[in-house]
Amino acid sequence: NGRGGLRGAARRWGSSRPGAGDRAATLSDLLQSSVEAEEPGAAAARQERRCPREGTVLLFPGQGSQFVGMCRGLQQYPGVRDMYRLAEKVLGYDLLSLCLEGPRDALDRTQHCQPAVFVASLAAVEKLNHLQPEVVERCVAAAGYSVGEFAALVFAGALDFAEALYAVKVRAEAMQRASEAVPSGMLSVVGRREANYKFACLEARKHCESLGIENPVCTISNYLFPDSRVIAGHLQALEFLQENARKYYFKRTKMLPVSGAFHTRLMEPAVEPLAEVLKSIEIQKPLLCVYSNVNGKKYMHSKHIQKLLVKQVVSPVLWEQTMHSVYERKQGTQFPYTYEVGPGNQLGAILKQCNLKAWKQYKHVDALEDKEAAET
């Protein structure tokens, strides 16, 4: 039935949903779950109120967390080899070899690293499900950073693995093209309390106009944690901010190793290709709460998902606000265990800055062998 309980959805990735298309049918053939679908009453039983500590939260990383060698050792887990075999068919190149062997400059390219992080994160869920199936079974909420949102929605049963990967491929290639059209980038900023990011961006845009750049872009593209933002836009604007960091009360600035100004209107050329592919795939209501980067709130229905995944490309990532939404609870209520699934542990570091009490229940499930990552 394609929706036989959360664990079934998380383990099958594929879909036997009517009309899911040839890619989904291929996936169903390739990925046979080692976990049988739950009994009919199991999903209802999961909905019963439980101690907050018993529920779990999964966080899915985004672009920038990739590294050469990720997924080494994960092929031992059920389904992971099949996921990469299917990925090769969807993408048209050997993603597993690129992840394991590089070269790094190829893996870091937007068109490659987005699919790489997407699949690696779901491979890490396979590992988690093998080592601690109760964590997957008890998941009540998920969130993904930028492209990680696609992985979160696959995990939650809203998107089919193969169809979502195809959408990620289209998104990544379109964002790569948009990046190459304008010299632009992203600047990570840690500011003092008195820092005024919007005013700094305004002055940077005025600087660009003085250089003859028409309609320049310089805006906050990521809200990470209190006093930390990512500013994206024309390279000349970012260089101006670095040179005048003290004036704007910026303690630290660092150019990020990305090719363009993601989550700004410079990505508008990527909107239409992604919108078209999302119209062509089936989207279902998630089996658990999944939070949107665009507004920090839960997705409500399939049209909502389709609309906001497109909007996300040109909208700032409200990650700090999302963390507040996920962990909002009454005083004295216990925090759930949180698992970051996939390469890198940046989301854990951000969670520590956003909510120290929630971070104390944080664990990382890396895209590496058990001995290196199972208990970090």
Side-chain angles (χ1 to χ4, degrees), residues 63 144-147 149 171 175 184-189 197-198 201 205 217-225 228-234 238 241 250 254-256 258 260-267 292-295 311-322 350:
Q63 183 170 345
Y145 192 97
S146 192
V147 72
E149 205 162 274
R171 177 187 191 266
M175 289 173 73
S184 58
M186 303 180 81
L187 182 72
S188 176
V189 177
Y197 303 95
K198 291 184 179 178
C201 290
R205 290 195 297 272
V217 172
C218 183
T219 186
I220 298 171
S221 62
N222 306 72
Y223 292 80
L224 300 179
F225 54 85
S228 180
R229 306 282 185 269
V230 175
I231 295 174
H234 283 82
L238 304 183
L241 292 178
F250 294 168
K254 180 184 177 184
M255 287 296 294
L256 298 180
V258 296
F262 303 142
H263 303 289
T264 72
R265 61 179 171 80
L266 288 177
M267 290 295 112
S292 167
N293 289 181
V294 172
N295 57 19
K311 193 173 180 182
Q312 188 224 66
V313 173
V314 291
S315 301
V317 173
L318 304 186
W319 191 254
E320 180 184 344
Q321 296 87 331
T322 299
I350 294 172

Side-chain angles (χ1 to χ4, degrees), residues 37 49 88 95 255 272 274 313 321:
R49 294 181 68 85
E88 186 172 356
L95 182 67
M255 287 296 294
E272 193 57 35
L274 178 60
V313 173
Q321 296 87 331

Side-chain angles (χ1 to χ4, degrees), residues 139-161:
C139 186
V140 295
Y145 192 97
S146 192
V147 72
E149 205 162 274
F150 286 82
L153 287 164
V154 170
F155 170 73
L159 296 175
D160 168 78
F161 171 84

Side-chain angles (χ1 to χ4, degrees), residues 52 91 99 119 135 154 160 193 195 233 236 242 247 274 306 318 337 347 351:
L91 299 171
C99 289
V119 179
V135 171
V154 170
D160 168 78
R193 296 267 168 166
Q236 295 91 333
Q242 283 190 297
K247 175 183 176 182
L274 178 60
Q306 181 183 327
L318 304 186
Y337 285 101
L347 299 185
L351 178 59

Side-chain angles (χ1 to χ4, degrees), residues 45-59:
R46 270 194 306 101
Q47 301 298 330
E48 292 177 9
R49 294 181 68 85
R50 56 161 65 99
C51 169
R53 178 61 57 80
E54 291 179 5
T56 60
V57 173
L58 264 58
L59 302 180

Side-chain angles (χ1 to χ4, degrees), residues 56-296:
T56 60
V57 173
L58 264 58
L59 302 180
F60 292 81
Q63 183 170 345
S65 60
Q66 73 280 353
F67 60 90
V68 174
M70 67 181 185
C71 296
R72 197 178 304 285
L74 292 194
Q75 296 95 313
Q76 63 181 297
Y77 298 108
V80 171
R81 277 192 176 277
D82 292 329
M83 288 167 69
Y84 278 100
R85 209 170 289 135
L86 181 59
E88 186 172 356
K89 292 184 177 181
V90 173
L91 299 171
Y93 59 87
D94 188 345
L95 182 67
L96 181 59
S97 290
L98 184 60
C99 289
L100 293 177
E101 300 161 17
R104 180 176 172 177
D105 60 343
L107 179 61
D108 286 348
R109 282 180 65 80
T110 296
Q111 68 189 73
H112 296 140
C113 73
Q114 289 189 20
V117 170
F118 169 85
V119 179
S121 296
L122 293 173
V125 174
E126 290 281 333
K127 169 182 172 178
L128 178 61
N129 191 68
H130 181 79
L131 298 175
Q132 296 176 273
E134 70 282 358
V135 171
V136 173
E137 178 63 32
R138 293 174 179 171
C139 186
V140 295
Y145 192 97
S146 192
V147 72
E149 205 162 274
F150 286 82
L153 287 164
V154 170
F155 170 73
L159 296 175
D160 168 78
F161 171 84
E163 293 184 326
L165 177 57
Y166 182 71
V168 168
K169 166 185 161 71
V170 170
R171 177 187 191 266
E173 290 173 352
M175 289 173 73
Q176 179 82 50
R177 290 193 298 273
S179 298
E180 291 167 356
V182 177
S184 58
M186 303 180 81
L187 182 72
S188 176
V189 177
V190 176
R192 300 187 188 282
R193 296 267 168 166
E194 55 267 51
N196 187 329
Y197 303 95
K198 291 184 179 178
F199 176 69
C201 290
L202 174 64
E203 294 217 321
R205 290 195 297 272
K206 287 181 178 177
H207 169 72
C208 286
E209 288 171 350
S210 74
L211 298 176
I213 298 172
E214 292 184 19
N215 205 14
V217 172
C218 183
T219 186
I220 298 171
S221 62
N222 306 72
Y223 292 80
L224 300 179
F225 54 85
D227 304 320
S228 180
R229 306 282 185 269
V230 175
I231 295 174
H234 283 82
L235 283 181
Q236 295 91 333
L238 304 183
E239 289 163 0
F240 172 84
L241 292 178
Q242 283 190 297
E243 290 166 6
N244 294 277
R246 185 174 293 182
K247 175 183 176 182
Y248 300 115
Y249 300 101
F250 294 168
K251 287 194 289 188
R252 288 198 305 276
T253 62
K254 180 184 177 184
M255 287 296 294
L256 298 180
V258 296
S259 57
F262 303 142
H263 303 289
T264 72
R265 61 179 171 80
L266 288 177
M267 290 295 112
E268 281 177 358
V271 165
E272 193 57 35
L274 178 60
E276 285 303 309
V277 74
L278 288 175
K279 283 178 192 171
S280 72
I281 67 178
E282 186 182 10
I283 303 174
Q284 296 201 21
K285 185 176 179 179
L287 290 165
L288 62 143
C289 298
V290 179
Y291 292 79
S292 167
N293 289 181
V294 172
N295 57 19

